[in-house]
């Protein structure tokens, strides 16, 4: 029987960001927290809170916090697409 190749799973608490007219990324005070997870095909590396990432629908988000996620529970959360090298101060 074939062995299931596991990958790291992390739960990511995030908020959406938008750019202002000067190109600065801002989190709206009314923005609701959304939970994503690292998926098998996620590109880039998680570094720290404040890091920006893209969802699978190309929405820009910021990492607020992270939490361990058991591999068996991964399907309860939507995978994100790509971590970016940019970050903002929270």
């Amino acid at each position: 029987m074939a062995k299931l190749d596991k990958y790291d799973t992390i739960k990511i608490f995030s908020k959406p960001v938008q750019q202002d007219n000067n190109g600065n990324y801002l989190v709206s005070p009314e923005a609701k927290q959304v939970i994503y997870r690292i998926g098998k095909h996620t590109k880039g590396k998680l570094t720290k809170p404040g890091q920006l990432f893209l969802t699978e629908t190309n929405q820009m988000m910021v990492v607020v916090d992270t939490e361990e996620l058991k591999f068996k529970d991964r399907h309860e959360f939507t995978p994100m697409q790509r971590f970016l090298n940019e970050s903002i101060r929270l």
Side-chain angles (χ1 to χ4, degrees), residues 18-34:
Q18 295 180 339
Q19 277 188 303
D20 65 11
N21 292 337
N22 296 321
N24 299 314
Y25 293 104
L26 304 172
V27 178
S28 169
E30 301 87 35
K32 293 185 180 182
Q33 186 167 273
V34 184

Side-chain angles (χ1 to χ4, degrees), residues 49-64:
Q51 182 177 11
L52 300 178
F53 70 91
L54 292 175
T55 67
E56 295 212 334
T57 59
N58 290 320
Q59 182 175 4
M60 184 81 67
M61 305 290 284
V62 62
V63 175
V64 175

Side-chain angles (χ1 to χ4, degrees), residues 5-16:
D5 290 328
K6 291 187 178 183
Y7 53 90
D8 290 338
T9 54
I10 297 173
K11 193 185 320 182
I12 301 169
F13 299 90
S14 63
K15 289 190 174 184

